Amino acid sequence: MNNLQQQVRGGAVLRGLWQNLPGPEAAEIARNAGFDWLVIDGEHGAWAPAEIRARLIAAPEAVVRVPVGETWILKQALDLGARTVLVPMVDTAEQAAEAVAACRYPPDGVRGVGAMVARAGGWGADGGYLARANAEVSVWVQAESRAALTNLEAICATDGVDCVFIGPADLAWDMGLRPDDPAVMDAMRDAIRRIDAAGCAPGIFAADPETWIDAGARVVCMGSDAMVLTAGLAALAR
Ligand code: 3PY
Ligand code: MG
């Protein structure tokens, strides 16, 4: 069973951390800190399988953000042991459906069958993995453009999408505005309401998580380990 998936589907409010610093030690520190969930960020960090694997060993339930929603990259993330994946830049229901298909073994999808020789299947020791995987792999997609907001209901209706996660930085840049511009805030508030109404868990990256939880977000990322370390060290140096 994938506990994070169960919590998300059950409507829990979950406060998380983006994990950008490389190395298993940083992942271990993040895991021990007490967040409800973690993201290993492979979009704005090195997409190096050995690096992702080392961090998954340190933080086994971490969500893996892939750099792009390509079928082969999602297969790699899952075979490395990720049970929840976050797919950036999903603008259409077709892209969402492709991401879900990449995470499902046939006949439900197109994931290549190799977990019996990979970490996901315990290097062959976990004989039940292949039968369980389609049900216990959770797919989260990011809505972070004007196109995605236009197509939001269709993206949410895609079978197998558990969470639709707003990316404020990319959305703001796509709108030609700053993330704290009132028009961006309004668009994000409206998106959270629509994601919820469509039956998905609304997620967002927010330095002020309680504001966005009040607005209806349930999967909230409170910051990044890199940002915390940078700010903390600068404060200490001062
Ligand atoms: C964004 O802000 O664009 C992200 O992807 C993460 O929050
Ligand atoms: Mg983004």
Side-chain angles (χ1 to χ4, degrees):
M1 200 174 73
N2 178 340
N3 282 332
L4 183 58
Q5 180 185 46
Q6 297 302 315
Q7 288 176 301
V8 166
R9 288 187 178 174
V13 171
L14 302 166
R15 294 169 177 80
L17 178 80
W18 233 241
Q19 218 262 308
N20 288 92
L21 296 174
E25 293 83 0
E28 200 170 34
I29 290 168
R31 187 201 65 202
N32 290 341
F35 293 95
D36 298 322
W37 60 285
L38 297 176
V39 170
I40 294 172
D41 187 5
E43 184 191 14
H44 295 299
W47 183 255
E51 164 68 21
I52 304 294
R53 187 182 63 232
R55 284 154 76 179
L56 278 171
I57 291 170
E61 295 308 324
V63 177
V64 172
R65 180 160 76 164
V66 291
V68 64
E70 293 278 345
T71 298
W72 70 271
I73 288 182
L74 284 159
K75 173 169 60 184
Q76 207 168 56
L78 297 178
D79 281 350
L80 288 168
R83 298 206 301 162
T84 303
V85 287
L86 178 62
V87 183
M89 308 270 182
V90 171
D91 289 341
T92 65
E94 289 71 25
Q95 288 172 343
E98 273 175 30
V100 173
C103 296
R104 301 283 185 259
Y105 289 123
D108 300 342
V110 297
R111 178 176 174 191
V113 181
M116 54 287 194
V117 291
R119 184 165 181 268
W123 309 106
D126 181 357
Y129 178 79
L130 289 174
R132 289 194 323 269
N134 284 6
E136 73 174 28
V137 166
S138 187
V139 181
W140 300 5
V141 301
Q142 282 195 262
E144 42 187 354
S145 68
R146 286 165 298 171
L149 297 193
T150 301
N151 297 323
L152 206 48
E153 276 73 17
I155 291 171
C156 293
T158 306
D159 205 24
V161 170
D162 288 326
C163 169
V164 175
F165 195 97
I166 298 163
D170 280 305
L171 176 62
W173 280 68
D174 187 57
M175 293 173 74
L177 299 169
R178 290 172 47 90
D180 59 358
D181 190 286
V184 178
M185 307 282 252
D186 284 349
M188 296 196 300
R189 264 193 214 96
D190 183 57
I192 287 170
R193 187 190 51 72
R194 288 166 61 201
I195 294 165
D196 191 32
C200 274
I204 193 165
F205 190 109
D208 51 346
E210 304 314 316
T211 303
W212 293 96
I213 290 168
D214 287 347
R218 292 205 294 277
V219 182
V220 182
C221 180
M222 304 168 68
S224 152
D225 59 359
M227 292 158 77
V228 171
L229 184 64
T230 299
L233 293 184
L236 186 61
R238 275 198 302 276

